[in-house]
Each structure stands twice: as C-alpha cells, then as structure tokens.
C-alpha cells in the first residue's frame, strides 16, 4: 500500500489545489507514480473523464500534473451549487439528486465516508503515493462530526497533514496556530506542519515568525512559496465575479497582427466552466474580461455567454441588467456572440425546463434557431468532431437537449453530419466545453471573429494551449522543488506524521474525536 499526504488549508482559496498539483508534478518528475485525490469537491467547474464520469476540473488538472488519466476515483463526491442552500450531488461521476446543505451535513455526508475511503484505498493499491486535497478549512468545528474531506479522511487513512496558508491575505501565523488549536488531540496528531503560500518580499524577514510558530506549535514550516502570477489554473470555487471587470490573466506577448481583440464574458449567476476562456486568454493580443453591465459590451469584439448551472436564472439576470437587449443589438449589427452550454441554450428560441428551475416554458433570446428541452438524464460525453475545417475536441455536461431548426452547422462529424450547435450570422452556439483548446479551430474561429468585428487581428500561428498548460504545471513543480523542503515532504509521504507532536490547547470544544 502506498504512502500519502493531505494538503489542507487555513481557508478556501489558500492555494490547496495548485500546491497539490505542484507536489504531484514534483513527484512524477522524480519517478514516483502518483495520483491526486479529493474526497468531496464543491465546484461548478467540472470535467468529464474518458469513462464518462463528471469530476472537479481541479482534480483533472492535478491528474495532468501527475501525468495520469483522471478517473472518478480521484473525486468521488462532487457538489454543484444550484442556490445558496442546495446543490446537485454527483457520486462517482453521476448525479444522484439535489440536496440541501442541512440534509447533506445532517447525515448523507457521513454515510459517504465508506465510499470515499474505498476510492482512496483503490488508488493506494495502484499508485506509489496519493496526494489528497482538503476543502475549506479543517477547523470548521461545526462540521467536523460529518467531515469526509479534511481530518475525516486523514484519520481514516492515517495520512499526515500539511496546512497551507495564504500570506497575501494577512494573518497567516494566527491562521496556522488557530487552525491547529481548534482540532481535537487525535486530529492534531496528524498536523505535521505548515506551508506558506503567495509570499512577496524577503524571506529572511519572515523567518523569525516561522521560528516562533515552531516554538508555539512544535511543528515546522515546510516551505515558503513565492507569489507567482498566472498559476490560478482550473480554480474550483468559482471566479470571484463580485468585483466587476475581473480580467482573466493573459500572456504578456504583444498581438501578432495590428490590433488586439477584446473578449467580454457575461458574468452570469452560477457560472460554470469559466475555464473555457483560458485558451482565448492564452492567445497573444486577446484580452478577456468578465462583465456585468450592458455598457461594458460596447467595445467588445466578441461577447461570450458562458455555461451556467441555472440557465433560466441567468437568462432573467441578463434581461434585468440590460445585457439581453445589448446582445440583441449586437446580433442585429452582425457583431460576434458565442454561447457555450447554458449560454447556447439562452441564445435559443425557447427553453422547456421542468428539471433545473422547474420554470416550464420560457422564451430565450431568439438569436439561434434552437429549442431546448431539459431532460432528467444528464449528458456526459467527450465528443470529437470538426468545425471551420479543423479538428475539435470537447466535453459535454448538460441536461438541456437541443432541437436545431435552422442556421448553419457548427460542430460536425467531418462528413457533413451535424454533431452539435449551430451558427446564424455572427452568432455561434455549442454545448461543448473545452472546444477552444483545439488550437487550429481556435485560430480559425478568432479569424472569423476579427473579420466580423472589423479588427486587423491575426492569431499567432504557434500558440499551443496544451503546451502552455504543461509549462504552467512545470512551474508549479518548480515552486515545490525550489521553495519547499522536499526531503521532509517525502519523509511525511513515506512514513506519516512524526510521533509525539504536541497538543495545542484548547482543542476542539465539545467535539467528538
């Protein structure tokens, strides 16, 4: 049976996903057969494995870092929020129903512990090491009794835990100490130490604090990772679109042609798989931003209506904010619009939804000759086809079934057969996520967009998105190799948490160990 490690965090978004990916890449480069694992993920960014299972995109990215094929074993429980109080529960890659947060934490979550432990044991029987990612904070004492993703899984597997803290937010020492001190003695026995993330400046100025932290807790800090731009790949918790005008990080290369190309992504509620636009942001001269006001579409050369877990809710939001009218004006003027998955459904003529929103029949924007009917069975697929004379790959995650009643074919089987989506003038729509990662298709699509927008933009002929992604993953591996105590991390993975780690008072108040 293999060794392992749990990467926990003082908070959500502390950097657990990228640290886990970095450790996986570091290990595989030294010849270790390694797999990622996250028992329970809450995310609207998901991916479809080759066997047709839906898992979090973060785990798919971590599998790529480990150079292995992602499977449902790596993320057995996925929660996809549909509102502030309920989520779709995806178990072993398949949806099993909607559940409130109270219902999930009130009993269902605890009953899933045997499932996630079984998945972890299967991975441990196949790989030399399994690197687990926690969720949120392990010190959420109100949820500890039913926890299956932080200390619950660490206790079940007897895995050592390294806690990651985001020093860019401030308060990292208090967060490390408080996280440890709020755990039971049995849980604390597995907290091996800490990892500082997103540090800016001179590390020597931090060292006195690290020494004092060790004196207070009896635990070392295993590294200080510097702040690095452009490494927030495949986030799981959703883009923080409350800050209007968020710009997706782009490469700094100048445009290949004379003009840049501006892409505006409508920041719809419950936005899913916003990583679809990463391939556009990787293109030299393409600027991608997320918007929520109609006037922000005025200078955009391409507007994208992205995927969403709430198609009808997103459609109402677009109408309330005047964005729907702006999209209608764009289409009438022949200015490019692309709808992806839920966005594609919104651009159609009609939506019949008795599944997701239970709103019944709702009029869409009518920009594409498509009618959507929601099916209780979710489509999960990894299709391959052709568009604009170029090969395209993608993945499908949707309940909506499209009845295309006109327009031009968009994605085909290469022999004239219709596979998905359609085009009407300068408006395109598809259910396929990830299609823009196909380099030749992306370049041809951007050429069409530039022509319709009247821009002298020329896509760079050599941008390889898969290659750029590999470079990012190598940078994550480099961060671990260069700035973490890898010898100490390997000892943890191989041998577990050191014996005799001190208890930090007060421990978990009233918690059951």
């Amino acid at each position: 049976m293999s060794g392992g490690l749990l990467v926990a965090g003082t908070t959500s978004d502390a950097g657990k996903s990228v640290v886990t990916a970095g450790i996986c890449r570091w290990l595989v480069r030294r010849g270790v057969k390694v797999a990622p694992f996250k028992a329970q993920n809450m995310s609207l960014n998901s991916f479809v494995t080759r066997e047709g299972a839906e898992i979090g995109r973060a785990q798919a990215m971590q599998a790529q870092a480990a150079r292995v094929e992602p499977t449902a074993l790596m993320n057995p429980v996925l929660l996809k929020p549909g509102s502030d109080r309920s989520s779709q529960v995806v178990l072993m890659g398949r949806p099993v129903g909607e559940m409130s947060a109270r219902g999930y934490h009130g009993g269902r979550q605890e009953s899933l512990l045997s499932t996630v432990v079984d998945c972890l044991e299967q991975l441990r029987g196949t790989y030399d090491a399994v690197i687990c990612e926690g969720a949120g904070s392990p010190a959420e004492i109100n949820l500890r009794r039913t926890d299956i993703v932080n200390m619950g899984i660490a206790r079940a597997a007897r895995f050592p835990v390294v806690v990651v803290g985001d020093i860019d937010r401030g308060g990292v020492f208090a967060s490390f100490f408080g996280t440890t001190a709020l755990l039971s003695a049995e849980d604390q026995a597995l907290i091996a130490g800490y990892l500082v993330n997103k540090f800016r400046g001179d590390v020597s100025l931090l060292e006195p604090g690290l020494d004092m932290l060790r004196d207070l807790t009896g635990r070392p800090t295993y590294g200080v990772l510097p702040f690095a731009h452009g490494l927030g790949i495949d986030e799981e918790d959703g883009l923080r679109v409350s800050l209007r005008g968020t710009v997706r990080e782009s490469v700094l290369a100048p445009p290949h042609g004379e003009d840049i190309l501006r892409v505006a992504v409508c920041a719809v509620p419950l936005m899913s798989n916003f990583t679809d636009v990463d391939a556009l942001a990787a293109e030299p001269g393409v600027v991608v931003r997320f918007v929520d006001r109609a006037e922000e579409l005025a200078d955009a050369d391409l507007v994208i209506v992205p995927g969403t877990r709430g198609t009808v809710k997103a459609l109402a939001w677009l109408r309330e904010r005047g964005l729907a009218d702006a999209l209608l004006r764009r289409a009438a003027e022949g200015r490019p619009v692309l709808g992806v998955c839920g966005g594609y459904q919104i651009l159609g003529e009609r939506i019949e939804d008795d599944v997701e929103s239970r709103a019944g029949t709702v009029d869409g924007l009518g920009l594409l000759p498509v009618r959507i009917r929601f099916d209780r069975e979710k489509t999960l697929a990894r299709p391959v086809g052709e568009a604009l004379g170029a090969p395209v790959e993608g993945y499908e995650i949707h309940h909506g079934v499209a009845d295309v009643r006109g327009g031009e074919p968009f994605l085909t089987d290469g022999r004239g057969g219709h596979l998905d989506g359609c085009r009407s003038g300068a408006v395109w729509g598809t259910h396929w996520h990830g299609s823009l990662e196909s380099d030749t298709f992306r370049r041809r699509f951007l050429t069409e967009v530039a022509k319709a927008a009247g821009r002298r933009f020329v896509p760079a002929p050599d941008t390889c998105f898969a290659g750029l992604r590999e470079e990012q993953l190598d940078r994550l591996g480099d961060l671990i190799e260069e700035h973490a105590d890898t010898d100490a991390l390997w000892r943890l993975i191989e041998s577990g948490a050191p014996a005799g780690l001190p208890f930090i008072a007060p421990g978990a108040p009233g918690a059951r160990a």
Side-chain angles (χ1 to χ4, degrees):
M1 189 168 289
S2 73
L5 177 72
L6 176 73
V7 179
T10 56
T11 62
S12 293
D13 206 33
K16 298 183 294 292
S17 294
V18 293
V19 167
T20 300
I23 293 174
C24 286
R25 179 51 59 101
W26 158 63
L27 286 172
V28 77
R29 289 197 305 207
R30 62 182 285 175
V32 177
K33 188 179 180 183
V34 58
F37 178 78
K38 184 161 186 172
Q40 172 197 294
N41 200 343
M42 177 173 280
S43 178
L44 289 173
N45 271 347
S46 58
F47 182 76
V48 179
T49 67
R50 296 218 176 270
E51 71 267 30
E54 184 179 9
I55 66 171
R57 268 200 71 102
Q59 279 60 66
M61 176 268 290
Q62 291 160 359
Q64 186 177 352
R67 296 183 179 140
V68 296
E69 190 68 33
T71 73
L73 292 174
M74 298 172 183
N75 179 208
V77 182
L78 172 64
L79 305 179
K80 303 191 73 174
S83 70
D84 290 340
R85 296 191 175 186
S86 68
S87 296
Q88 182 181 66
V89 180
V90 179
L91 179 62
M92 295 305 295
R94 295 289 173 181
V96 294
E98 296 280 334
M99 187 167 290
S100 69
R102 180 179 291 274
Y104 185 68
H105 290 288
R108 180 63 187 269
Q109 185 182 34
E110 198 170 9
S111 69
L112 293 173
L113 181 60
S114 61
T115 298
V116 301
V117 168
D118 180 64
C119 290
L120 178 56
E121 292 306 301
Q122 288 187 57
L123 292 174
R124 295 180 73 182
T126 305
Y127 293 90
D128 301 327
V130 180
I131 307 303
C132 304
E133 178 189 345
S137 163
E140 291 166 349
I141 54 179
N142 56 315
L143 303 177
R144 174 62 186 92
R145 182 179 62 83
T146 57
D147 169 49
I148 64 172
V149 67
N150 289 305
M151 301 312 300
I153 196 69
R155 287 268 292 274
R158 302 305 301 168
F159 274 1
V161 180
V162 172
V163 181
V164 177
D166 178 358
I167 197 170
D168 200 47
R169 293 183 173 190
V172 74
F173 293 116
S175 297
F176 283 145
F177 184 87
T179 296
T180 309
L182 280 176
L183 299 177
S184 67
E186 291 82 357
D187 285 349
Q188 286 192 28
L190 296 176
I191 302 294
Y194 313 106
L195 191 66
V196 176
N197 193 28
K198 302 180 187 178
F199 180 72
R200 306 171 192 254
D202 185 347
V203 176
S204 65
L205 298 177
L206 192 65
E207 287 172 351
L210 300 179
D211 292 339
M212 286 185 276
L213 181 67
R214 182 161 194 161
D215 291 340
L216 286 166
T217 67
R219 292 161 172 85
T221 297
Y222 288 98
V224 178
L225 307 184
F227 191 99
H229 289 282
L231 292 182
I233 51 180
D234 291 359
E235 297 97 326
E236 65 177 34
D237 293 325
L239 186 70
R240 303 302 197 265
V241 293
S242 58
L243 297 177
R244 195 172 42 77
T246 303
V247 177
R248 197 72 175 147
E249 285 192 274
S250 305
V251 294
L252 300 178
H256 189 70
E258 296 180 46
D259 287 345
I260 64 171
L261 207 64
R262 297 177 177 86
V263 178
V265 183
C266 297
V268 297
L270 299 173
M271 181 167 53
S272 62
N273 290 74
F274 61 79
T275 48
D276 283 337
V277 303
D278 284 356
L280 296 180
E283 283 285 349
V286 176
V287 178
V288 178
R289 68 183 188 276
F290 291 83
V291 303
D292 62 2
R293 297 194 312 197
E295 54 267 33
E296 293 175 301
L297 304 188
D299 67 344
D301 302 305
L302 170 65
V303 174
I304 296 178
V305 186
T308 171
R309 173 83 164 85
T311 299
V312 171
K313 181 177 182 179
L315 175 57
W317 181 87
L318 290 169
R319 286 180 167 139
E320 289 166 3
R321 291 178 170 257
L323 287 158
D325 288 337
L327 290 168
L328 292 172
R329 288 193 297 270
R330 285 187 66 88
E333 295 165 0
R335 302 175 66 198
V337 177
L338 171 65
V340 179
C341 200
Y344 170 40
Q345 298 166 4
I346 286 169
L347 298 182
E349 298 172 347
R350 190 174 72 193
I351 301 167
E352 295 178 21
D353 182 10
D354 294 317
V355 176
E356 190 175 77
S357 68
R358 297 180 175 85
T361 301
V362 178
D363 288 335
L365 297 186
L367 298 181
L368 291 173
V370 178
R371 295 183 180 181
I372 301 295
R373 176 185 54 81
F374 274 64
D375 194 347
R376 295 193 180 279
E377 291 296 317
K378 181 185 282 192
T379 297
L380 296 170
R382 289 277 294 272
V384 176
E386 182 179 288
L388 302 178
V392 184
E393 296 184 18
Y395 56 101
E396 295 183 74
I397 306 170
H398 55 91
H399 285 278
V401 178
D403 177 12
V404 180
R405 300 188 167 208
E408 303 173 37
F410 187 18
L411 293 156
T412 72
D413 60 9
R415 299 183 297 275
H418 179 266
L419 282 179
D420 183 79
C422 71
R423 174 184 183 178
S424 179
V427 181
W428 294 264
T430 175
H431 271 129
W432 292 17
H433 294 291
S435 62
L436 293 168
E437 296 180 17
S438 299
D439 296 326
T440 303
F441 164 68
R442 182 181 64 252
R443 286 192 279 270
R444 293 184 183 179
F445 176 71
L446 289 177
T447 299
E448 292 261 335
V449 167
K451 180 179 178 182
R455 293 288 184 187
R456 290 174 293 184
F457 169 85
V458 178
D462 55 355
T463 302
C464 173
F465 183 74
L468 292 172
R469 172 55 56 89
E470 276 296 303
E471 290 177 12
Q472 284 184 310
L473 294 173
D474 274 332
R475 288 176 63 197
L476 291 178
D478 292 343
L479 282 176
I480 297 299
E481 196 162 337
E482 295 170 9
H483 300 282
D485 186 345
T486 53
D487 288 340
L489 288 177
W490 179 247
R491 286 194 297 272
L492 287 180
I493 292 168
E494 204 172 33
S495 305
L501 290 169
F503 172 73
I504 309 301
R512 295 192 309 184

